Amino acid sequence: MAEGPAGAAPAVARTREELAAARSRATGTLALVPTMGALHEGHLTLIRRARESADTVVVSIFVNPLQFGPHEDFDRYPRTFADDLAACAAAGADLVFAPAREVMYPAEPQVTIRSGPMGEVVEGAARPGHFDGMLTVVMKLLQLVRPDVAFFGEKDAQQLAMIRRMVADLDVPVRVEGVPTVREPDGLALSSRNRYLSAAERRTALALSEALRAGADAAEAGAEAVLRAARAVLDRVADADPPLELDYLVLVDPATFTEFGPARTGPGVLAVAGRVGATHLIDNMPLRVGSPKES
């Protein structure tokens, strides 16, 4: 599969057979960008990064039912395939793999990936089973596409850490690359779920990124200062109209997502999640506890 010019319509594979045929024509390095569609600038940044590093770029678009809980937004999750295909073309993708549910799961899966203790904390505690479903579909995509490198956003920091651990633990022959979070001009981390927010809800949601910045500004003073500064911002919107319902605010190790003790220093991730209206939002910021904030 030769590299196509940016703007050219990518090929579309909807079945395993079409994917295998396209994969057999690929030459050189192949990159995969897994997505659930509803593409935004964050996804396009991943695709462009993949374009810079690989001869062939495959984007998968699949809303994975295994990673949604019984009361989550699977049915209302935005599905915008025509717009997504145009965005993939503009960003330089060569192939879009867009399987139906029965293609990815021909039968109810009996053997799945278990995320282990790392998948039961932070976001995993708020969404039980989520990471099992996420790792299962990522493993399936890696097996079907067989990329040399796969790109994931650092906005989903726990997801990225768990994919890296899965790849290492199971000896999957792929290089995993993280790409920094892309933000809107007001600081809100780009997410497909942002489109659910009303103007008032969006104003409340900005407290998430403001809390992270406040925590990072306090990093030199230690772990407790980081959390105290971030929580002070979140406390101000707990009674806003509409309020932010906080799920968690934690300072964790970037590789294991175990929480920092008060005396610990070094690299960390300040992670936050909450619900504004009916919309669940997550965000995080890497920092170095015990050191001044990097400019």
Side-chain angles (χ1 to χ4, degrees), residues 264-281:
R264 181 170 173 174
T265 60
V269 170
L270 182 61
V272 65
R275 189 170 299 276
V276 184
T279 304
H280 176 75
L281 297 171

Side-chain angles (χ1 to χ4, degrees), residues 70-159:
H71 303 295
E72 294 185 340
D73 59 351
F74 175 75
D75 289 332
R76 68 188 284 254
Y77 194 88
R79 289 149 170 95
T80 56
F81 185 74
D83 291 341
D84 292 344
L85 192 61
C88 286
D94 299 296
L95 174 67
V96 171
F97 179 44
R101 179 173 181 163
E102 57 269 22
V103 172
M104 285 301 290
Y105 302 109
E108 187 68 24
Q110 298 296 310
V111 179
T112 59
I113 301 292
R114 182 177 176 274
S115 56
M118 192 174 167
E120 297 169 356
V121 298
V122 191
E123 186 71 4
R127 303 177 67 190
H130 166 72
F131 286 119
D132 294 354
M134 179 277 294
L135 290 177
T136 297
V137 79
V138 169
M139 177 62 88
K140 288 172 73 71
L141 289 168
L142 293 176
Q143 297 288 353
L144 289 167
V145 178
R146 291 178 288 117
D148 300 290
V149 56
F151 288 82
F152 298 88
E154 292 179 0
K155 184 181 84 71
D156 297 294
Q158 189 173 7
Q159 170 180 284

Side-chain angles (χ1 to χ4, degrees), residues 1-38:
M1 184 185 301
E3 176 183 334
V12 177
R14 293 194 177 271
T15 67
R16 292 165 179 252
E17 294 75 18
E18 290 171 351
L19 174 63
R23 180 66 178 82
S24 70
R25 296 190 295 270
T27 58
T29 304
L30 188 146
L32 170 65
V33 180
T35 82
M36 292 205 301

